[in-house]
Amino acid sequence: MSIGLVVLIDADTGILEARLNELAGMLEEDEQEKRRLDEAIAIFVPKRNIETWIHYLQGESVNEEAGYAKFEQNEAVCKTSVEDLADRCYSQSLPEDAPRSLQAACGELQRLLPLLES
């Protein structure tokens, strides 16, 4: 059995690279090894918050600087869209207009999946 780890942390109003550097810095401060490309660890960093991605997946035009409403009391509404996203990431068919942070997450998923198959 293969096990992978997906870390999901918002970038808030910062930038994707800054959040990734922050996580790497925490490992260094704790005297841990850096994440290696051959480790089954993926880091997903939605710009602003995860709702940006969900609204995009539901067909809305989004801006990664804006805040988007949560789906309180109706979180499951996005299930079909998330399943579609997984299929698009796996088949490398994410539209070019997808938010940059979502494109990066698909890249992480594409790197992770083969590691889980071995």
Side-chain angles (χ1 to χ4, degrees):
M1 170 169 49
S2 294
I3 297 176
L5 172 67
V6 174
V7 177
L8 183 69
I9 184 168
D10 295 341
D12 296 325
T13 58
I15 59 172
L16 170 72
E17 292 79 8
R19 186 62 88 185
L20 292 172
N21 289 338
E22 180 183 350
L23 292 173
M26 288 178 183
L27 287 174
E28 187 176 321
E29 285 176 23
D30 197 40
E31 299 179 0
Q32 301 291 320
E33 291 183 30
K34 291 181 180 180
R35 177 178 67 128
R36 297 183 324 266
L37 291 178
D38 64 344
E39 286 186 289
I41 300 172
I43 303 175
F44 297 175
V45 185
K47 176 72 170 112
R48 189 66 188 216
N49 54 36
I50 191 71
E51 286 78 19
T52 305
W53 290 359
I54 296 169
H55 283 266
Y56 170 79
L57 294 170
Q58 292 181 332
E60 293 179 40
S61 178
V62 298
N63 170 339
E64 289 192 289
E65 300 302 320
Y68 291 90
K70 297 187 181 301
F71 297 94
E72 293 182 31
Q73 307 299 319
N74 195 15
E75 290 84 1
V77 72
C78 64
K79 182 179 187 242
T80 303
S81 298
V82 172
E83 289 170 346
D84 180 52
L85 170 64
D87 292 340
R88 287 178 177 267
C89 285
Y90 185 75
S91 66
Q92 299 182 18
S93 63
L94 189 66
E96 287 185 24
D97 71 340
R100 191 172 83 77
S101 62
L102 184 54
Q103 293 174 15
C106 278
E108 283 283 290
L109 182 64
Q110 290 165 0
R111 185 190 58 76
L112 176 67
L113 290 175
L115 296 172
L116 297 176
E117 293 172 356
S118 52

